[in-house]
Amino acid sequence: MGGHSSRTAPDLPLPHQEVVSLQGSGGRVQDRPAGYLAAANTAARLAQKCETGQVKVQLAWLPHSFQLQKGPSRHLWEIHGTFTAEGPCTLSAHFHCRERTSSSGVLRYEAADTSGPPSWSASYPAGKHELRLAGDKAIDFQRWPLEVFWKLKHKRMDVIPVVFVLDMPGVQSIVHISLEVSKEAALNLQLKLLRQKVVIDQKEYLLEEIYGLADLAKEDGAHDESSHGEPCVVCLSDPRTTAILPCRHLCLCEECARELSIGAQLRGDTCPICRGKIQHVQVFELKS
């Protein structure tokens, strides 16, 4: 008497409920289609937020400058590219290789086997320079066949066909490249930029262009309704702060992106710019 039982009451199963109407703005109840709550929960899980700011990189590849050109012989091909450096740096080229991270956080590349093309390096002063794989550095398909050394293979995704690395103290700027056969290309062979990344103070960053992200850092006004930046393409009022992935179009405000992401779950809504599939949305907040 006055005590309590040590036995725990069994959990009671709760009935499954699905909300089909939610409280909207202004106190009105807005009808929602069946499945809306589940779609909203899924959209919330897929949403990502990212604080963005400006970081100055002292070494930079110009990704659109890379070109593949026919060499003087039928089996020789040349790669051309451009980079900029704010100080003296070292450029190294590695082929048919694997990536490793050293104990100091620096990325290193080692040959996948002894039969591949040899690595090489060269020093450059500050300025804008052109990389040229030509002459004795040209790609030689007769000595190193295309299918074996220069194409990325799904069964050996860790073996990178071509890597270019720019090095200076505390900074690395890296590009991974492969060669692909294309029926649409005029020369039936094209260069494919697999990825671009930088290592700054032992932290690795994968670089992906977000179309419109640079506008967030404009100094001509704050990003509110009076912002000089482009408005959301859906509501045409709030500023664009949210990108659609994987197409990377930054074209929506956060609220419209949330509704469009829910619509992607319910109706298969797509990116309003390219009509691509919506897998995730990412909100960018400019670091002041």
Side-chain angles (χ1 to χ4, degrees), residues 10-31:
D11 294 334
L12 296 177
L14 297 177
H16 175 73
Q17 298 182 7
E18 183 171 34
V19 177
V20 294
S21 62
L22 299 176
Q23 191 75 18
S25 59
R28 296 180 302 171
V29 175
Q30 299 177 338
D31 292 334

Side-chain angles (χ1 to χ4, degrees), residues 28-264:
R28 296 180 302 171
V29 175
Q30 299 177 338
D31 292 334
R32 300 295 190 184
Y36 182 89
L37 183 60
N41 289 335
T42 300
R45 288 196 303 269
L46 296 178
Q48 306 169 16
K49 284 200 174 183
C50 177
E51 186 181 73
T52 182
Q54 292 183 334
V55 177
K56 189 173 184 180
V57 181
Q58 296 172 300
L59 296 169
W61 290 100
L62 305 183
H64 301 294
S65 70
F66 283 100
Q67 296 181 354
L68 182 66
Q69 298 181 4
K70 192 73 179 67
S73 301
R74 186 172 59 180
H75 59 276
L76 294 179
W77 290 78
E78 301 176 357
I79 293 179
H80 296 246
T82 305
F83 66 92
T84 59
E86 294 191 3
C89 68
T90 300
L91 164 65
S92 58
H94 309 271
F95 310 100
H96 193 61
C97 58
R98 291 187 173 92
E99 184 178 89
R100 298 287 184 262
T101 303
S102 69
S103 58
S104 62
V106 176
L107 294 182
R108 301 297 185 195
Y109 296 88
E110 57 185 38
D113 55 60
T114 58
S115 61
S119 300
W120 56 266
S121 63
S123 298
Y124 290 84
K128 185 175 182 180
H129 304 282
E130 182 181 5
L131 160 75
R132 296 183 71 247
L133 252 63
D136 59 349
K137 293 183 175 66
I139 294 173
D140 189 340
F141 287 156
Q142 190 173 48
R143 186 174 180 182
W144 297 292
L146 170 66
E147 296 292 332
V148 178
F149 296 99
W150 307 102
K151 291 180 65 176
L152 185 67
K153 303 175 184 63
H154 292 291
K155 293 183 178 179
R156 300 182 72 186
M157 294 294 288
D158 62 323
V159 178
I160 312 163
V162 181
V163 178
F164 296 127
V165 184
L166 295 172
D167 272 294
M168 64 186 305
V171 182
Q172 285 183 300
S173 182
I174 302 160
V175 289
H176 294 182
I177 291 172
S178 72
L179 303 185
E180 304 289 340
V181 176
S182 173
K183 295 181 180 179
E184 300 177 356
L187 296 174
N188 203 34
L189 190 66
Q190 61 183 3
L191 179 148
K192 182 178 181 181
L193 187 62
L194 298 174
R195 65 188 63 88
Q196 183 179 5
K197 54 187 176 180
V198 295
V199 178
I200 302 175
D201 295 332
Q202 301 182 5
K203 292 184 179 180
E204 182 179 329
Y205 302 90
L206 182 65
L207 303 184
E208 288 188 330
E209 183 176 5
I210 301 293
Y211 307 111
L213 181 60
D215 293 336
L216 287 181
K218 286 183 177 179
E219 298 179 354
D220 54 359
H223 278 268
D224 51 26
E225 291 185 357
S226 63
S227 172
H228 296 292
E230 293 293 329
C232 166
V233 299
V234 175
C235 67
L236 301 178
S237 59
D238 292 339
R240 305 180 185 189
T241 61
T242 308
I244 294 172
L245 303 177
C247 66
R248 309 194 303 279
H249 285 116
L250 192 146
C251 59
L252 302 169
C253 67
E254 186 173 356
E255 183 176 349
C256 289
R258 180 169 57 249
E259 291 297 324
L260 196 64
S261 185
I262 294 171

